[in-house]
Amino acid sequence: MIFVGGGEQPWPLRDAPARSSRARPRFAFHGAECGVIMTKPHLLLGEAGKYRVAAELLKRGIPVFFPACDDGIDLIAGEHRLQIKTCRFPRSHRIKDGQPKYRFNFIHWSTRHVHPAPKLAHLNEKVTHVICWGVDDDLFWVIPAETVRGKSCLSLLKDDGMYRCYLQAWEQLIHGAEQR
């Protein structure tokens, strides 16, 4: 369970008081053996995205494997190497032509363990598809990696845009799995 701070009476996250200069840590996991582990909400959302995509693939009969180390490939599905990107609508609800858009940033691709980090990260060359999950509408864009290589971000609309053909395009992965 996620708690704020520690002590004898930890507060559940949803009831957390406002932070002050002496406030307790905002996010902490208290486990029996592991003590306190700090984490950030966007990292948790990214992990949720991996499992959400894995569930969609399993529903479609495609076996999914999670790599043991993070080298830019989040999931392996048959012969496909997948990078998963997850986004929620920002609080400002970026609007384009009257509808909100999801903005997926690719700046941090493969730069976590590189020091100094390059100005623009590169998608792992073995990745075959990038799957973008728009959390608020539970939408998926299944995009071939070659389409997004070299980009720093994508702004995706749920009903319009040049990436509409990739919306819920799971067949790209299913046909590849059937050929095996």
Side-chain angles (χ1 to χ4, degrees):
M1 182 175 243
I2 298 176
F3 292 110
V4 173
E8 296 177 14
Q9 297 180 342
W11 296 295
L13 185 58
R14 64 184 170 276
D15 298 327
R19 291 191 55 129
S20 69
S21 60
R22 293 182 42 218
R24 298 175 187 193
R26 185 165 178 210
F27 296 97
F29 173 80
H30 295 268
E33 303 99 17
C34 61
V36 176
I37 300 172
M38 299 301 290
T39 189
K40 296 179 180 178
H42 71 278
L43 296 176
L44 296 176
L45 186 63
E47 288 299 310
K50 291 179 192 179
Y51 287 95
R52 182 67 181 90
V53 169
E56 286 295 319
L57 293 168
L58 290 169
K59 279 183 0 185
R60 290 164 170 78
I62 300 173
V64 176
F65 302 94
F66 291 84
C69 61
D70 185 358
D71 65 349
I73 297 172
D74 292 325
L75 293 174
I76 299 171
E79 295 179 7
H80 300 291
R81 305 298 182 255
L82 310 174
Q83 171 65 229
I84 313 302
K85 300 306 281 184
T86 306
C87 179
R88 299 196 73 162
F89 285 138
R91 289 191 178 134
S92 62
H93 294 288
R94 293 182 179 114
I95 304 291
K96 181 176 180 181
D97 299 329
Q99 71 181 41
K101 63 181 177 177
Y102 291 99
R103 183 180 172 101
F104 296 91
N105 290 313
F106 303 149
I107 297 289
H108 299 292
W109 273 348
S110 307
T111 59
R112 271 182 272 185
H113 307 293
V114 178
H115 298 287
K119 291 183 180 179
L120 179 63
H122 299 284
L123 178 62
N124 183 315
E125 63 202 31
K126 295 180 183 175
V127 170
T128 60
H129 289 80
V130 175
I131 301 180
C132 298
W133 178 35
V135 176
D136 299 289
D137 292 311
D138 199 28
L139 296 175
F140 298 89
W141 288 267
V142 182
I143 306 171
E146 294 309 314
T147 306
V148 296
R149 267 190 220 287
K151 296 189 182 295
S152 61
C153 70
L154 280 180
S155 292
L156 301 175
L157 306 170
K158 74 179 193 179
D159 295 326
D160 192 20
M162 63 185 280
Y163 294 96
R164 179 182 11 196
C165 61
Y166 301 116
L167 184 61
Q168 310 293 53
W170 297 106
E171 65 276 358
Q172 295 181 60
L173 304 178
I174 293 171
H175 295 310
E178 289 173 353
Q179 293 172 355
R180 284 187 68 186

